[in-house]
Amino acid sequence: MTDSPLDAPGTDPFEIAREAAAVIAERSGAPTHDIALVLGSGWGETADRIGETCASIDNTDVPGFAKAAVVGHSGTMRSVAIGDSGRRALVFGTRTHFYEGRGVRAVVHGVRTAAAAGCRAVVLTNGCGGLRPEWAPGTAVLIRDHINLTAASPLEGATFIDLTDLYSPRLRALAKEIDPTLDEGVYVQFRGPHYETPAEVKFAATIGGDLVGMSTTLEAIAARQAGLEILGISLVTNPAAGISPVPLSHEEVVEAGAAAAGRCGDLLARIVARI
Ligand code: 8IG
């Protein structure tokens, strides 16, 4: 049991998501939203490049959401006009991580709220470690598939859901049309919050991984359950442990993210405009 209200006995997380969506509709003036974005480490400036922010809502004002736990993440969500298309993006400036111990329902609450708000697609971004030496810090990589090493799932009971093509081939093709230099990789989620040992990074490579991180896979599974189309983009902020001789630090991660923010924001804005 966790201290999240989402885990209180008898609570239906989908009902709380509908309540959250109702608050967002009221506070943003938009009865529905079209696309959701979850901004991970290094992706924080993206919202400004998508279009005008119509409303900024404190996470703590929305049922089921909590304050940001990570330095460099903002505890607000925004309703952003997508250019002058008349469509709206719901942009989450932070996420709840599995390692926070608030339970899986809290981790996927944003995605479920986005679906309840009318979104048809979600863009999941993160900062992560890279296993390929050619991916310098600041390289954006499309997630082609994932390996979930958390031993957890957002699905409860005997809910069997197919995860083939979880990360939309259509949206990956669209992203590559916009930036043909984008590589793709398999994202491996560890629980964290410690970074991996070099031996664990070797293991991730052996089982087919290209990227290591602490988020995204549980959200993607919940997004599939909710019927959302999914695009996953990782920002490689550091070589994974043992790939480079230098130890990892969170400060370096934040710096690499800040340095790449403009480029990543532009890329995402151009993708969102065409989803
Ligand atoms: I930023 O190297 C970032 N997040 N697991 N490993 C894991 N998570 C990360 C890393 C990393 N870099």
Side-chain angles (χ1 to χ4, degrees):
M1 198 46 65
T2 73
D3 61 359
S4 169
L6 288 164
D7 286 323
T11 301
D12 173 5
F14 296 96
E15 177 57 31
I16 310 279
R18 284 190 291 273
E19 288 171 21
V23 170
I24 291 165
E26 189 206 317
R27 296 280 293 268
S28 68
T32 62
H33 282 75
D34 301 283
I35 298 169
L37 288 92
V38 181
L39 303 183
S41 296
W43 294 90
E45 278 178 36
T46 301
D48 298 324
R49 307 206 176 214
I50 292 171
E52 193 191 330
T53 295
C54 305
S56 195
I57 309 169
D58 230 61
N59 280 2
T60 48
D61 292 344
V62 185
F65 285 86
K67 282 203 283 284
V70 179
V71 179
H73 293 234
S74 82
T76 57
M77 60 183 82
R78 302 202 228 176
S79 175
V80 178
I82 303 173
D84 50 17
S85 65
R87 297 181 308 142
R88 286 276 190 117
L90 180 58
V91 182
F92 297 101
T94 187
R95 57 158 50 94
T96 295
H97 291 86
F98 186 61
Y99 59 70
E100 291 172 50
R102 299 183 61 241
V104 181
R105 287 179 174 187
V107 170
V108 302
H109 187 54
V111 162
R112 286 180 174 155
T113 296
C119 293
R120 297 295 168 86
V122 62
V123 182
L124 300 171
T125 67
N126 62 56
C128 72
L131 271 59
R132 298 205 208 153
E134 67 267 28
W135 290 340
T139 305
V141 177
L142 296 172
I143 300 177
R144 175 170 58 79
D145 202 348
H146 80 217
I147 297 172
N148 169 14
L149 296 184
T150 65
S153 172
L155 309 180
E156 300 178 26
T159 310
F160 305 110
I161 288 187
D162 175 64
L163 300 182
T164 310
D165 284 339
L166 183 61
Y167 298 89
S168 165
R170 182 185 84 87
L171 295 183
R172 284 187 276 138
L174 174 64
K176 282 191 276 194
E177 215 176 281
I178 290 164
D179 182 353
T181 70
L182 281 171
D183 272 340
E184 296 193 341
V186 172
Y187 179 91
V188 182
Q189 180 176 357
F190 286 83
R191 181 192 181 279
H194 51 273
Y195 295 118
E196 295 71 33
T197 63
E200 287 165 343
V201 170
K202 230 179 190 177
F203 162 71
T206 302
I207 62 175
D210 303 293
L211 306 157
V212 288
M214 306 177 195
S215 69
T216 304
T217 73
L218 300 170
E219 290 151 82
I221 295 166
R224 166 59 61 93
Q225 178 187 32
L228 298 173
E229 204 175 3
I230 301 156
L231 180 65
I233 317 183
S234 288
L235 175 64
V236 176
T237 55
N238 57 276
I243 300 289
S244 138
V246 191
L248 277 56
S249 87
H250 183 63
E251 289 68 36
E252 267 175 331
V253 163
V254 172
E255 266 171 43
R263 205 157 18 89
C264 289
D266 275 347
L267 171 67
L268 216 44
R270 292 173 66 196
I271 292 171
V272 168
R274 290 183 50 192
I275 284 180

